[in-house]
Amino acid sequence: VAAAAATRVEAGFVGLPGLAAAVAVAWVVMAPARALEEVVPDLEQALAAAARLFELADRPPAVAAPVGTGEVPRDGSISVRGVTVTFANAASAALEAVDFEIGHGGYVAVVGPSGSGKSTLVELLVRFRDPVAGRVAVGGADLRTVEASRLAESVAMVPQRPDIFFGTLGDNLRIADSQADDDRCWEALGAVDLRSWAEGLEGGLDAPVGERGETLSGGQRQRIAIARALLREPQVLVLDEATSELDVETERHVMSSLTATRGSRTLVIVAHRLDTIEDADEILVLDGGRLVERGRHDDLVGSDGVYAGLWRRHLDALAV
């Protein structure tokens, strides 16, 4: 019998216990191998991301450190004098010799065709960049002399695609003010027509919003960002098409809340729908990087200039 068994092994036959052991060993060995196969692409992506981060860290800052003793804006007035902004390899200036002033508490809209320099202008107000010529001041303070933290206290900007972070709804609101209590958070949500929605969430302010706000719609993300800016109680609030994903009625409600306190806070809005800024104190019209018109809605429509053309296209779009 032993000789027969040896003969079967020599002939390539394996008994049932041996087969079971071989399968078990293969299964144990393959699991780490499969995991390693998944790690390799992730490692390649991580190395590429790290390379981009190092490249970004090596770039010179877009703006220099504040000079002088560090001024503090005294109010929400804005002065833009002879401002020119250029970009490398651009055929023309993004902004050229732009000049205007806004008194504290003013409500000003900025409009113009695509690429006219609207976003570049509002980036100057929060000092995301500096002009190559001219001066930008808030509350009498040249922004090149204001510490970044001081400027953030005075000027808040909400972009078209705001950042929402992993955590709860309350966490995202209190980024603006870590000491804000629940009542202030609910008040800010009410101002952007989100209170009823938030009260219906399981956990309310403690409800998770997901990575990058994945559980939220685009309009909800925009309104949370506006509520967050209101919690900071800035002297100047800048909205760069920050209501573009809201429906008409919701946008009107939000704009009504924001303009209800006009006079106490300067409001600068890059308009998404022209009918929402008809009652602005002044409308600044940019075209090709230049400030080509300024005035109230009715006067600009009657002048039959750039704004009048934008208004006609807006009405045509509503009629479709």
Side-chain angles (χ1 to χ4, degrees), residues 102 106-111 118 122 125 158 236-243 251 254-256 258-259 266-273 276-277 279-280 282-284:
I102 304 172
Y107 168 25
V108 173
V110 181
V111 304
K118 303 184 296 295
V122 297
L125 301 181
V158 182
V236 179
L237 178 61
V238 182
L239 304 184
D240 186 5
E241 297 195 28
T243 59
E251 184 177 28
V254 172
M255 290 301 301
S256 178
L258 294 177
T259 57
T266 304
L267 187 60
V268 179
I269 294 181
V270 176
H272 172 63
R273 298 185 182 99
T276 62
I277 49 93
D279 64 336
E282 187 172 34
I283 299 172
L284 307 179

Side-chain angles (χ1 to χ4, degrees), residues 27-118:
W27 181 262
V28 171
V29 170
M30 286 302 296
R34 286 195 300 269
L36 183 61
E37 182 182 16
E38 295 176 359
V39 166
V40 171
D42 291 342
L43 180 61
E44 291 177 347
Q45 292 180 7
L47 291 174
R52 290 195 295 270
L53 287 174
F54 286 127
E55 180 184 352
L56 183 62
D58 291 338
R59 287 184 188 176
V63 295
V67 297
T69 57
E71 297 184 69
V72 178
R74 63 175 181 269
D75 56 29
S77 60
I78 297 172
S79 175
V80 175
R81 289 298 182 191
V83 163
T84 295
V85 176
T86 58
F87 297 138
N89 303 320
S92 59
L95 292 174
E96 187 172 357
V98 174
D99 199 282
F100 65 86
E101 288 195 1
I102 304 172
H104 174 74
Y107 168 25
V108 173
V110 181
V111 304
S114 178
S116 59
K118 303 184 296 295

Side-chain angles (χ1 to χ4, degrees), residues 108-114 116-119 121-122 241 268-278 280 282-288 290-295 297 300 306-308 310-311:
V108 173
V110 181
V111 304
S114 178
S116 59
K118 303 184 296 295
S119 291
L121 177 61
V122 297
E241 297 195 28
V268 179
I269 294 181
V270 176
H272 172 63
R273 298 185 182 99
L274 296 186
D275 55 331
T276 62
I277 49 93
E278 288 183 71
E282 187 172 34
I283 299 172
L284 307 179
V285 186
L286 296 175
D287 191 21
R290 288 182 171 273
L291 179 59
V292 295
E293 295 175 331
R294 58 188 301 180
H297 170 79
L300 292 173
V306 174
Y307 183 81
L310 294 172
W311 180 250

Side-chain angles (χ1 to χ4, degrees), residues 229-250:
L230 292 175
L231 272 178
R232 189 178 297 172
E233 298 182 350
Q235 295 173 309
V236 179
L237 178 61
V238 182
L239 304 184
D240 186 5
E241 297 195 28
T243 59
S244 60
E245 298 197 40
L246 305 185
D247 61 75
V248 174
E249 288 304 317
T250 302

Side-chain angles (χ1 to χ4, degrees), residues 174 177-181 184:
R174 292 188 178 98
D177 182 356
S178 61
Q179 303 303 313
D181 58 23
R184 287 185 60 206

